[in-house]
Amino acid sequence: MKVSMSKGLILNDCLHFINGQYVSSVNGKVFKNVNPATEEEIGIVAEGGREEVDFAVREARKALNGPWKKLTLNDRSSIIRKIGDIILERVEELAEMESLDTGKPLWLAKSVDIPRAAYNFHFFADYMIGIGTEAYQTDDVAINYAIRRPVGVVGLINPWNLPLLLLTWKLAPCLAAGNTCVIKPAELTPVTATVLGEICREAGVPDGVVNIVHGFGPDSAGQALAEHLDVNAISFTGETITGKTIMAAASKSLKRLSYELGGKNPNIIFADSNVDEVIETTVKSSFINQGEVCLCGSRIYVERPVYEEFLQKFVAKTKQLVVGDPFDPKTKVGALIGEEHYERVTSYIQLAKEEGGQILTGGKRPEGLEKGYFLEPTIITGLDRNCQVVREEIFGPVVTVIPFDLEEEVIAQANDTHYGLSASIWTNDLRRAHRVAGQIEAGIVWVNTWFLRDLRTPFGGMKQSGIGREGGMHSMEFYSELTNICIKL
Ligand code: NAD
């Protein structure tokens, strides 16, 4: 299959993008890119390593003090806004690429992933204009003021679940603060990142400011970037365990780190909530994007009086979800990302059975779909808090439902994890909403909703779900250095 991209690139050419040019690996090495919905090869990807990362970092370092630095704030903001505009102009094409690459439904890529990628640039283009710095007068003795400057060359390491959306969530503030960067896209989803190179060039980003090196993680491009002595900071989104390895590698030059990691998020439903409204959102928070969203609420706790009603309605709604061809508008659940991940997710279903769990729906490949990594949305009950299936991140369309009796009990269960990314609480009791939200150990707690985001607000995880926060000023703080200038009067 060949999907045309502008400038003669086709989907089977995912090259590196360094200093404004598409280039192959020095040794010509490539790896295959597979469509998870068909298991067919859809292209080849240049496999980068230390040499390509060295080259990209060198160019990014040169560009830091080149024309990028000389642009006025307004000109830089216009370029960043233009990137968003071009993404919107190419929304159809980018959504098709994202769907082919990830297995996610096309409508989802078209209505969420790609528009949000554009909005990330529009948001930071506006936001950067309004940022000031601090100033203090120390009696009659001195005045102090802070100046903000770029951190330098930043490594952006990305996961496969929301490829363009999450990459641009880092790239937009990184550029807004005046940095240059080297991007390492996930090896399973290289396509939209590759196209972003030419979009940046067309928008007027000077050569060398945005560089992209494809490859794998350990002993490959990812590790080389994390270890590189001339990279000042790493912004990483991915698995907690990978974050630990990157931290060790980055310690060689004491890099600044921003981490958005895994989650095992509680979805707490009190009996006083509107069960029909809860079901509507819970189906989404459980199974959207095949459950491959770090914020999915995979541990569902339901207060005993509505437990049976909730289960019956939740199972019925889940059974209606159409699983299959991501390009079919009726499809609600596409294919999981790849074979290895499919094996991992289904191994948890097997484990649930061995641990005494009941599979109320799903748990298997849908009939008639022999090819592709398709799995029916799966609801499991009968497991207790100590089971691995309840404790570990599965990152697929698999949720557990557990009843509870007391508020203190459910708070303790929700917090009984080394993760702390997000949580949802469903209740119509105002006092309880505030009381419980304040006690849940998570970076974001939604009350009577899920996935609602204002990009000015802090986003990130507690405990082993992350380090630091992204969003608005939090992103700008990460991507900039402050110098305080103290003048004696
Ligand atoms: P992953 O950790 O396997 O890979 C992420 C990226 O890191 C890839 O580009 C990979 O090549 C690279 N990498 C792997 N090993 C490396 C190493 N040793 N050194 C440097 N780079 C390395 O994660 P994934 O499977 O792509 O993504 C799924 C995970 O991401 C889930 O745990 C999910 O919860 C998490 N996630 C978190 C958020 C968030 O905002 N908190 C958002 C999306 C995904």
Side-chain angles (χ1 to χ4, degrees):
M1 181 174 316
K2 291 184 179 182
V3 172
S4 341
M5 298 184 201
S6 62
K7 315 248 160 84
L9 277 176
I10 46 176
L11 193 55
N12 59 4
D13 286 331
C14 280
L15 300 179
H16 311 299
F17 183 77
I18 302 176
N19 196 27
Q21 301 298 318
Y22 285 102
V23 293
S24 305
S25 289
V26 176
N27 57 13
K29 262 175 112 172
V30 292
F31 62 93
K32 288 180 189 167
N33 188 18
V34 170
N35 176 350
T38 60
E39 299 180 41
E40 284 167 7
E41 184 182 327
I42 50 171
I44 50 161
V45 188
E47 183 181 337
R50 208 160 288 280
E51 274 185 90
E52 291 74 18
V53 167
D54 271 348
F55 177 26
V57 172
R58 233 178 8 254
E59 294 306 322
R61 176 65 54 192
K62 270 195 257 161
L64 198 56
N65 294 316
W68 191 228
K69 191 176 178 181
K70 297 186 180 82
L71 287 175
T72 63
L73 189 65
N74 271 324
D75 287 345
R76 203 165 72 229
S77 166
S78 301
I79 291 174
I80 292 169
R81 169 162 286 282
K82 185 86 197 290
I83 302 173
D85 294 345
I86 302 173
I87 290 175
L88 281 185
E89 282 162 22
R90 296 179 66 172
V91 65
E92 302 277 337
E93 181 195 1
L94 287 164
E96 282 186 18
M97 291 171 185
E98 204 74 308
S99 174
L100 282 172
D101 217 9
T102 57
K104 73 173 69 202
L106 177 61
W107 62 263
L108 185 62
K110 202 150 75 180
S111 62
V112 178
D113 292 58
I114 309 302
R116 169 63 197 281
Y119 182 53
N120 287 337
F121 289 104
H122 289 162
F123 172 81
F124 279 105
D126 290 342
Y127 195 84
M128 62 189 277
I129 298 288
I131 294 174
T133 52
E134 299 162 86
Y136 298 96
Q137 177 150 357
T138 315
D139 303 319
D140 290 336
V141 181
I143 51 168
N144 292 271
Y145 66 93
I147 57 164
R148 190 177 289 282
R149 52 179 120 182
V151 176
V153 176
V154 186
L156 309 178
I157 304 180
N158 292 279
W160 46 258
N161 63 324
L162 307 168
L164 195 67
L165 190 162
L166 291 175
L167 163 55
T168 54
W169 177 231
K170 296 181 186 309
L171 181 60
C174 175
L175 295 179
N179 299 282
T180 62
C181 66
V182 177
I183 295 164
K184 212 300 275 168
E187 53 272 32
L188 292 169
T189 54
V191 178
T192 47
T194 307
V195 183
L196 189 61
E198 67 173 17
I199 291 176
C200 288
R201 190 169 57 191
E202 189 185 334
V205 176
D207 293 349
V209 172
V210 174
N211 304 278
I212 301 160
V213 178
H214 294 292
F216 296 89
D219 303 318
S220 181
Q223 187 177 333
L225 191 57
E227 283 176 355
H228 204 290
L229 298 180
D230 210 20
V231 170
N232 303 90
I234 295 281
S235 177
F236 168 70
T237 299
E239 284 199 42
T240 296
I241 184 91
T242 311
K244 294 178 187 181
T245 314
I246 291 178
M247 185 178 260
S251 71
K252 293 189 178 168
S253 58
L254 220 59
K255 290 180 185 48
R256 181 181 288 207
L257 296 174
S258 162
Y259 273 6
E260 300 294 352
L261 308 176
K264 185 76 180 177
N265 311 305
N267 180 9
I268 302 169
I269 297 152
F270 286 97
D272 66 0
S273 57
N274 174 340
V275 173
D276 292 324
E277 191 191 342
V278 174
I279 300 283
E280 176 100 22
T281 305
T282 296
V283 169
K284 280 194 206 127
S285 67
S286 302
F287 304 122
I288 202 158
N289 205 50
Q290 303 70 247
E292 295 168 329
V293 178
C294 55
L295 302 169
C296 276
S298 51
R299 289 185 289 147
I300 303 174
Y301 297 99
V302 187
E303 202 173 5
R304 189 100 45 195
V306 291
Y307 180 68
E308 290 303 332
E309 180 194 354
F310 170 85
L311 268 187
Q312 185 243 317
K313 290 182 172 169
F314 183 41
V315 169
K317 265 268 188 238
T318 299
K319 282 186 169 164
Q320 289 169 10
L321 296 174
V322 178
V323 184
D325 178 7
F327 273 53
D328 184 335
K330 289 196 289 302
T331 294
K332 288 285 185 286
V333 178
L336 299 193
I337 190 69
E339 188 176 359
E340 199 183 320
H341 187 58
Y342 190 82
E343 297 299 328
R344 185 169 168 230
V345 172
T346 49
S347 75
Y348 277 104
I349 295 172
Q350 182 54 33
L351 190 62
K353 290 178 190 160
E354 288 162 18
E355 288 181 328
Q358 285 98 52
I359 313 291
L360 298 194
T361 183
K364 57 182 189 340
R365 176 179 276 281
E367 273 169 36
L369 288 172
E370 274 73 47
K371 277 263 169 211
Y373 305 110
F374 294 102
L375 179 64
E376 286 180 357
T378 304
I379 301 174
I380 305 172
T381 55
L383 296 177
D384 82 18
R385 64 202 285 179
N386 298 316
C387 292
Q388 253 174 285
V389 178
V390 178
R391 303 192 73 79
E392 295 176 8
E393 183 183 46
I394 299 176
F395 214 55
V398 180
V399 296
T400 57
V401 189
I402 296 177
F404 71 89
D405 294 297
L406 301 171
E407 188 180 300
E408 312 84 84
E409 173 202 343
V410 76
I411 293 171
Q413 289 208 44
N415 289 340
D416 183 18
T417 167
H418 62 262
Y419 290 116
L421 188 57
S422 72
S424 282
I425 300 166
W426 293 89
T427 177
N428 282 318
D429 179 336
L430 185 66
R431 291 184 195 194
R432 171 150 62 198
H434 288 292
R435 197 167 58 228
V436 177
Q439 292 179 75
I440 299 292
E441 294 163 359
I444 179 162
V445 179
W446 283 290
V447 177
N448 298 332
T449 187
W450 178 74
F451 210 72
L452 192 58
R453 286 275 299 124
D454 179 326
L455 301 194
R456 294 168 298 184
T457 60
F459 176 84
M462 283 187 184
K463 303 200 268 189
Q464 292 190 31
S465 283
I467 297 178
R469 295 291 181 269
E470 295 184 313
M473 204 52 212
H474 303 275
S475 293
M476 296 308 287
E477 293 288 1
F478 175 76
Y479 290 106
S480 55
E481 275 293 2
L482 287 173
T483 299
N484 185 62
I485 297 175
C486 175
I487 302 176
K488 191 174 176 201
L489 295 175

